[in-house]
Amino acid sequence: MLRALGFESDVQLYVASGEVYGGDETLASLKALFPNLHSKEALANKREVAPFSSSSSPMAAPDFIVCDEGDVFFYQQQWELNMPQILAGQSSLNFM
């Protein structure tokens, strides 16, 4: 889908989630097409992530910041979940 939308292989992609089902093996084909695929665990060391790792809510904070600052946000989860709705609302406010 990203190729069809015109994204080149040098685009920076950020996976905003907890552990992906199947781990790195699941993302291998995507990473082969888009080698600049990142996550908070890949960008920060364990010491930097530690203050956020007490539960899932604090771990969502770095994801929110990166997604909010990005040019494009794709989500695969259900719209009813908070992150896509909050980002959509924040994006609307940014363009007012």
Side-chain angles (χ1 to χ4, degrees):
M1 179 172 85
L2 295 171
R3 290 282 179 152
L5 291 169
F7 288 96
E8 300 291 330
S9 62
D10 62 346
V11 68
Q12 300 288 324
L13 296 177
Y14 181 81
V15 178
S17 71
E19 187 172 332
V20 175
Y21 294 115
D24 290 339
E25 189 174 310
T26 301
L27 296 174
S29 59
L30 181 61
K31 192 159 179 92
L33 290 171
F34 300 100
N36 296 315
L37 181 66
H38 310 289
S39 68
K40 63 183 158 282
E41 292 83 7
L43 295 175
N45 63 43
K46 290 182 188 236
R47 183 180 48 80
E48 293 169 322
V49 174
F52 301 99
S53 62
S54 61
S55 69
S56 61
S57 293
M59 287 296 281
D63 289 339
F64 175 83
I65 293 166
V66 171
C67 291
D68 185 47
E69 293 294 321
D71 295 325
V72 179
F73 172 69
F74 292 96
Y75 61 92
Q76 84 173 38
Q77 298 173 338
Q78 299 173 5
W79 176 254
E80 294 81 21
L81 297 177
N82 290 333
M83 182 74 87
Q85 291 184 27
I86 293 169
L87 284 164
Q90 180 69 19
S91 294
S92 297
L93 291 174
N94 289 341
F95 289 107
M96 291 185 136

